């Protein structure tokens, strides 16, 4: 069965520090997709990134970077030079492809506090 | 670009009342997903529809029902509301076969 584990329930860092959010997943499928979503206090789910299981290339987008390692079933997310606006709950998620796109399964989320 | 539209954004109901949430997917998207997110929880999958037919079912209570209409919009009907139904309800849409879902801004339901 598919499962996403975000072991860090809550993290607090001082502004401008780097922070890494961990995500470990379980799946029996060889084709799957991994996501990160940001949920600010306003409540909406903001899509950050999607990776498919065949693309292990790390990705950088501004201050955000993602490290995908199939060998350890991990898809970690790093924010460099954090800002107060980064304060939010971050969800890692997984979907499996069974002929067509399956539902997204979310981890429990990591609540990130960026302190000024 | 058009996004997933959910209405209403906020809803307050009393116990045992009925609520109907609406979701308008991105144009040409044929799949709709409903999620429930309780306070401090992760979003939980409720139900999905593909081409107006139910395609998958998660932890949706029997008091809840949903459907997708000919114009692809979807409605989630919740009856005999309980305090525990207070949550944020998300709708997502996708084009079947693509691995990307787009979420609406959610409907915050409060049951008092």
């Amino acid at each position: 069965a598919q499962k996403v584990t975000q072991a860090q329930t809550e993290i607090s860092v001082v502004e401008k520090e780097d922070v890494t959010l961990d995500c470990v997943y379980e799946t029996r499928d060889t084709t799957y997709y991994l996501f990160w979503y940001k949920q600010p206090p306003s409540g909406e789910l903001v899509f950050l990134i999607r990776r498919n299981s065949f693309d292990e290339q790390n990705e950088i987008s501004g201050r955000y970077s993602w490290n995908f390692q199939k060998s350890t079933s991990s898809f970690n997310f790093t924010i460099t030079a954090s800002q107060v606006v980064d304060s939010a709950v971050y969800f890692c998620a997984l979907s499996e492809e069974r002929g067509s796109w399956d539902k997204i399964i979310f981890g429990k989320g990591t609540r990130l506090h960026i302190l000024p | 670009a058009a996004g997933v539209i959910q209405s209403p954004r906020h809803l307050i109901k009393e116990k045992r009342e009925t609520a109907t949430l609406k979701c308008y997917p991105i144009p040409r998207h044929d799949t709709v997903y409903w999620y429930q997110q309780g306070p401090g929880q992760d979003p939980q999958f409720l139900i999905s529809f593909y081409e107006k037919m139910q395609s998958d079912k998660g932890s949706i209570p029997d008091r809840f029902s949903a459907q997708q209409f000919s114009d692809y919009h979807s409605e989630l009907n919740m009856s005999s509301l309980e305090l525990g139904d207070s949550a944020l309800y998300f709708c997502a849409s996708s084009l079947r076969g693509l691995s990307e879902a787009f979420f609406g801004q959610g409907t915050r339901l409060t049951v008092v």
Side-chain angles (χ1 to χ4, degrees):
Chain A
Q2 53 185 155
K3 184 180 178 182
V4 178
T5 301
Q6 295 179 255
Q8 304 149 308
T9 305
E10 203 157 344
I11 300 175
S12 294
V13 299
V14 177
E15 196 174 18
K16 296 182 184 175
E17 287 185 352
D18 299 347
V19 58
T20 296
L21 309 183
D22 297 334
C23 173
V24 174
Y25 62 92
E26 293 176 31
T27 176
R28 287 178 290 193
D29 281 14
T30 55
T31 303
Y32 52 90
Y33 298 85
L34 296 164
F35 304 80
W36 276 96
Y37 286 88
K38 174 182 179 180
Q39 188 171 45
S42 50
E44 70 271 25
L45 282 171
V46 179
F47 169 81
L48 295 179
I49 190 173
R50 178 199 70 192
R51 303 296 285 180
N52 73 55
S53 51
F54 297 109
D55 183 2
E56 287 193 71
Q57 207 169 20
N58 291 330
E59 183 156 339
I60 298 174
S61 176
R63 296 183 297 106
Y64 295 170
S65 63
W66 291 269
N67 184 358
F68 177 27
Q69 293 195 344
K70 285 181 75 171
S71 60
T72 55
S73 296
S74 65
F75 186 42
N76 297 337
F77 172 33
T78 297
I79 302 174
T80 58
S82 61
Q83 300 175 3
V84 173
V85 293
D86 297 327
S87 297
V89 179
Y90 290 86
F91 290 99
C92 181
L94 165 73
S95 76
E96 296 165 335
E97 187 170 43
R98 301 167 183 168
S100 60
W101 185 69
D102 195 19
K103 60 185 176 291
I104 287 178
I105 299 297
F106 289 84
K108 295 296 183 186
T110 297
R111 184 174 297 276
L112 177 63
H113 300 278
I114 307 299
L115 308 173
Chain B
V4 178
I5 306 296
Q6 290 188 245
S7 68
R9 291 292 310 280
H10 301 273
L11 189 59
I12 299 176
K13 290 285 186 179
E14 294 187 354
K15 281 194 306 183
R16 292 180 288 278
E17 283 193 322
T18 298
T20 297
L21 308 186
K22 296 185 178 182
C23 170
Y24 297 87
I26 291 172
R28 293 187 299 281
H29 279 194
D30 52 19
T31 306
V32 166
Y33 303 78
W34 284 99
Y35 285 79
Q36 177 192 56
Q37 185 181 22
Q41 304 295 313
D42 55 297
Q44 293 288 319
F45 171 72
L46 292 178
I47 195 167
S48 62
F49 292 87
Y50 166 63
E51 284 292 344
K52 294 153 277 185
M53 298 285 288
Q54 181 182 309
S55 57
D56 198 359
K57 198 171 181 180
S59 49
I60 182 169
D62 292 340
R63 300 176 290 106
F64 292 9
S65 65
Q67 57 182 323
Q68 187 178 29
F69 294 86
S70 57
D71 64 352
Y72 293 96
H73 94 273
S74 179
E75 294 183 3
L76 177 65
N77 297 292
M78 299 176 284
S79 62
S80 302
L81 287 169
E82 303 173 355
L83 296 179
D85 296 329
S86 295
L88 195 51
Y89 290 83
F90 286 104
C91 172
S93 77
S94 74
L95 191 58
R96 196 77 167 175
L98 295 182
S99 60
E100 196 161 0
F102 297 86
F103 283 84
Q105 291 190 296
T107 293
R108 189 172 297 278
L109 171 67
T110 303
V111 181
V112 297

